[in-house]
Amino acid sequence: MENFQKLIIIENQYLKHEIADVLWLEKFHSVGLKLGWSMNKQISSEGHDERFFDNKIQEMQAQVSFIHLKPGRTFDENRPRVSPYISVKGEKRILIDPQEDIVSKLSEFRQSCSKPVFTAGTRHLSHITRLHDQLFEPLKFMKLSEKLQIILNKAVT
């Protein structure tokens, strides 16, 4: 209960809720691992990824381990790396949406962004298809965009 008492003085409401959730899950459901994402491998005292929150959780002596995955990707020159689960309106990004036309979108992105940004974005997406192939069924002899469309269609139906 001592850790829960320390939560009272935290002013950042989002941080307070994040810590409370993890402490509650640890205490009442024996959760010992939290998956998150990080912009880079360096630990930061402030920021926009989950390392900041996880550092604060560790300060509360939570007995939880952390795994940090890579951030999401966009095809935007100014914001190529972003949160993997939040999309900003108008963002050049593949979305988990039943109406998403990945083939058309990737074709548009190929024309509208620089080669390094397009390559980084498609490399990120190719890792997703590779994981799908390993876990489920290999999608052979197709373009990346076609594989992604099949995976998306499976995910949203």
Side-chain angles (χ1 to χ4, degrees):
M1 214 51 173
E2 180 183 319
N3 284 338
F4 289 104
Q5 294 293 331
K6 292 178 187 176
L7 288 173
I8 295 169
I9 61 171
I10 298 174
E11 290 184 29
N12 179 326
Q13 290 300 306
Y14 188 88
L15 175 61
K16 185 185 290 192
H17 287 285
E18 180 91 7
I19 294 171
D21 288 347
V22 172
L23 292 175
W24 187 83
L25 288 166
E26 176 192 23
K27 182 173 179 76
F28 296 106
H29 293 283
S30 302
V31 170
L33 180 66
K34 179 180 178 286
L35 294 175
W37 66 278
S38 177
M39 284 291 189
N40 57 48
K41 294 177 182 170
Q42 297 170 339
I43 297 173
S44 174
S45 61
E46 51 185 63
H48 303 289
D49 65 20
E50 294 187 36
R51 277 190 196 273
F52 166 74
F53 299 105
D54 295 347
N55 290 336
K56 297 298 182 185
I57 292 166
Q58 284 179 319
E59 289 174 13
M60 301 293 273
Q61 280 81 45
Q63 300 301 303
V64 176
S65 297
F66 306 93
I67 295 176
H68 296 106
L69 305 172
K70 293 180 179 183
R73 282 281 185 179
T74 73
F75 292 87
D76 184 332
E77 304 286 333
N78 298 318
R79 291 185 65 233
R81 296 178 330 158
V82 294
S83 166
Y85 47 78
I86 297 173
S87 177
V88 176
K89 186 175 177 142
E91 199 167 47
K92 293 172 131 183
R93 188 173 188 171
I94 302 297
L95 302 175
I96 300 174
D97 181 326
Q99 305 302 314
E100 193 75 328
D101 179 356
I102 295 174
V103 174
S104 296
K105 244 186 179 178
L106 283 180
S107 178
E108 173 194 324
F109 296 157
R110 182 186 307 273
Q111 303 300 317
S112 66
C113 67
S114 71
K115 185 171 177 137
V117 169
F118 184 76
T119 300
T122 54
R123 184 180 317 114
H124 176 77
L125 295 170
S126 72
H127 290 270
I128 294 169
T129 62
R130 225 172 288 136
L131 182 60
H132 173 274
D133 288 354
Q134 292 171 354
L135 294 175
F136 302 105
E137 63 178 298
L139 299 173
K140 297 180 181 179
F141 311 114
M142 289 182 220
K143 294 180 181 177
L144 174 64
S145 57
E146 294 167 341
K147 287 182 178 187
L148 288 165
Q149 191 69 59
I150 289 170
I151 294 168
L152 174 64
N153 293 344
K154 283 183 184 180
V156 297
T157 55

